[in-house]
Amino acid sequence: MQRLLVALLAAFDAAIAAAVGLAVLLAPLTLLWTLAFGATADWGALWPLTGTLWAFGHGVPLDITIANAALVAVGVPAAAATFTVSVAPLALLVFTLLFAARSGARAANAGSWVTGVLSGTVVFAAIAAGVALTSRLDAAKTSLLLAILLPAAVYLAGAVCGAVRVVWEDGDGGPIDAIHDRLDAWTEWTPVPAAIVRGAAFALVAVLGVSAAALALLTLFRGGEVVALFQAARVDVLGAVVITLAQFLYLPTLLVWTASWIAGPGFAVGVGTAVSPAGTQLGVVPGIPVLGLLPENSSIWMLIVVLLPVAAGAVAGWAVRSRLVWEGTPLRMLPRAVIAVGMGAVTAGVAALAALLTSGSIGPGRLAETGPSVGAFALALGGEVLLGAAILLLSPRNRDELAEERTDRWVAEMTASDLGDLIGDAASSSPSAVSADSPADAAPLPFAETAPLDDVTGEGRPPAPR
């Protein structure tokens, strides 16, 4: 019965996650349809557009085909009539990932995380299949298989991560527990996996925070360029609102691009272009307002920004080391080195996945290559975090840390010694203690008649009156 309830709740979570994602797109599109077209609006095209954009937000590429009439009206060459857009707005993907992680954690707390994860994923995949089958557009086509598999894979990844995090801490009596128990057998290596994940998460959050601050500064100093591109687009208020909302959906993508710039490799906005601290080489870029934030030039001195990920790794290493000391588990050099390498490897893996999701094509021709390079970004950010973490984790333990360790050990030994003396005194002063002259089966006196210990001296005092 419990597994059935967990499966039903997980299925409900998946349905809510899909419904909220679709509603986030459907509500503004409905308003746009009403304001733009009024009573003559073709409401039959609203749902196909919503479903297509929902799949696109989960990483499904769009195959765009521009009609001949539109080509003539806009003046676009015929060679650009068909192209692919694969750089997705990751805001929807991040929402699904976080919601799935919450559902997986709830299933793990209920004791049936496998059932919950599978139930939620199956329901989300079924909803994705329904959306894909009912939202087909001729102008923007998606692969039916990818439109089902990619959203389901995003939900599965989030649910598994949320469930494993809870199971690793609380246990489930299954394979995760078996791995945890095997690591516990190696006493010195027990805290290593948790320290790696914790340190990598700390470093990634720090890098993300630095990227957000850098993007905010760029918006402050180059906001005029963004406004100029809005004006050059010659759109009305409704069009400006639509463009602004679309750019907000691309905010996670912009943060990844900024992180790649800070890490050193930078990113591209077209074939043969580069935007990095070492230099900027741009040709003609699309008139998208947010691209006005791109720096026009760079200086070799700007390479100093690569120290920021190193600092993030150092702060993460300090946090991990401080927690190990606080928990009373100071490690030798080899486990600490494994933690530092693991932090760099996990950071590099997350960076590679983020670069893969935020790179690809945004238009025809030279715009087929945009975003950060997967390998360069992963190696750079992972190496910088590894360097910073190694500086803090592998440095010799200072005097205060050793003194704290000795103090903790002395307190533990004194506590154990005092507890042993207390138990010994209680046994020797209790009338119920069995002596050598008394029979072995002598019944002990009632608990109320035993002589309690004095709170201060530890010596026996007369029993309290009844």
Side-chain angles (χ1 to χ4, degrees):
M1 183 62 184
Q2 182 182 4
R3 288 189 177 183
L4 178 60
L5 183 60
V6 171
L8 291 176
L9 290 176
F12 182 73
D13 283 344
I16 291 296
V20 171
L22 289 167
V24 166
L25 294 172
L26 186 59
L29 286 176
T30 302
L31 181 62
L32 171 64
W33 237 246
T34 303
L35 296 177
F37 304 107
T40 62
D42 181 12
W43 295 100
L46 181 59
W47 170 252
L49 179 60
T50 302
T52 300
L53 292 179
W54 184 79
F56 179 52
H58 287 86
V60 182
L62 293 180
D63 295 327
I64 306 296
T65 302
I66 302 177
N68 292 331
L71 288 176
V72 175
V74 181
V76 178
T82 303
F83 57 92
T84 299
V85 178
S86 57
V87 179
L90 295 185
L92 289 175
L93 186 147
V94 172
F95 168 78
T96 299
L97 200 67
L98 295 177
F99 206 99
R102 177 177 174 273
S103 177
R106 289 176 58 182
N109 287 323
S112 300
W113 69 274
V114 176
T115 302
V117 167
L118 291 179
S119 174
T121 303
V122 169
V123 170
F124 200 84
I127 294 174
V131 172
L133 290 172
T134 58
S135 58
R136 310 298 293 174
L137 289 175
D138 294 333
K141 297 181 179 180
T142 58
S143 168
L144 180 59
L145 183 61
L146 291 179
I148 298 173
L149 292 182
L150 287 183
V154 171
Y155 193 91
L156 175 62
V160 168
C161 289
V164 169
R165 180 188 64 81
V166 174
V167 169
W168 185 265
E169 295 176 355
D170 301 337
D172 69 335
I176 304 297
D177 256 0
I179 297 174
H180 197 287
D181 293 342
R182 181 163 295 185
L183 286 174
D184 284 344
W186 300 348
T187 306
E188 195 173 20
W189 294 89
T190 300
V192 170
I196 289 174
V197 175
R198 187 181 301 115
F202 203 105
L204 288 169
V205 170
V207 171
L208 189 63
V210 170
S211 302
L215 189 60
L217 288 176
L218 278 174
T219 305
L220 179 64
F221 288 110
R222 294 189 58 83
E225 299 294 332
V226 176
V227 173
L229 287 174
F230 264 114
Q231 294 173 345
R234 297 183 181 277
V235 294
D236 56 7
V237 175
L238 183 60
V241 170
V242 171
I243 293 175
T244 303
L245 291 177
Q247 291 177 155
F248 271 117
L249 290 178
Y250 273 95
L251 184 58
T253 303
L254 297 177
L255 289 176
V256 174
W257 288 15
T258 306
S260 183
W261 187 87
I262 293 173
F267 55 92
V269 191
V271 178
T273 64
V275 182
S276 70
T280 299
Q281 182 180 354
L282 288 173
V284 179
V285 297
I288 303 173
V290 73
L291 294 183
L293 299 178
L294 296 177
E296 295 179 354
N297 49 53
S298 301
S299 170
I300 193 67
W301 294 102
M302 296 184 73
L303 280 172
I304 197 172
V305 297
V306 301
L307 294 178
L308 294 176
V310 177
V315 173
W318 170 81
V320 169
R321 183 165 179 168
S322 298
R323 186 179 180 93
L324 289 174
V325 173
W326 179 75
E327 291 176 344
T329 55
L331 303 178
R332 293 184 298 110
M333 185 66 71
L334 181 58
R336 284 186 284 159
V338 171
I339 292 175
V341 173
M343 288 172 57
V346 172
T347 302
V350 174
L353 181 60
L356 184 65
L357 292 173
T358 58
S359 61
S361 172
I362 61 172
R366 58 190 300 271
L367 296 179
E369 294 183 11
T370 56
S373 171
V374 175
F377 181 36
L379 289 175
L381 188 60
E384 289 157 2
V385 169
L386 170 60
L387 176 61
I391 292 174
L392 267 295
L393 283 172
L394 302 183
S395 60
R397 289 190 285 174
N398 57 41
R399 189 177 304 171
D400 293 339
E401 187 175 332
L402 293 173
E404 183 177 355
E405 179 186 345
R406 287 195 296 269
T407 301
D408 292 341
R409 186 166 58 247
W410 179 81
V411 170
E413 292 175 354
M414 292 301 296
T415 302
S417 176
D418 292 344
L419 183 60
D421 293 342
L422 187 64
I423 294 174
D425 293 343
S428 62
S429 61
S430 174
S432 61
V434 179
S435 63
D437 299 331
S438 61
D441 56 350
L445 294 175
F447 177 75
E449 298 192 9
T450 59
L453 295 177
D454 187 87
D455 293 338
V456 178
T457 63
E459 300 175 356
R461 66 173 183 263
R466 298 190 179 186

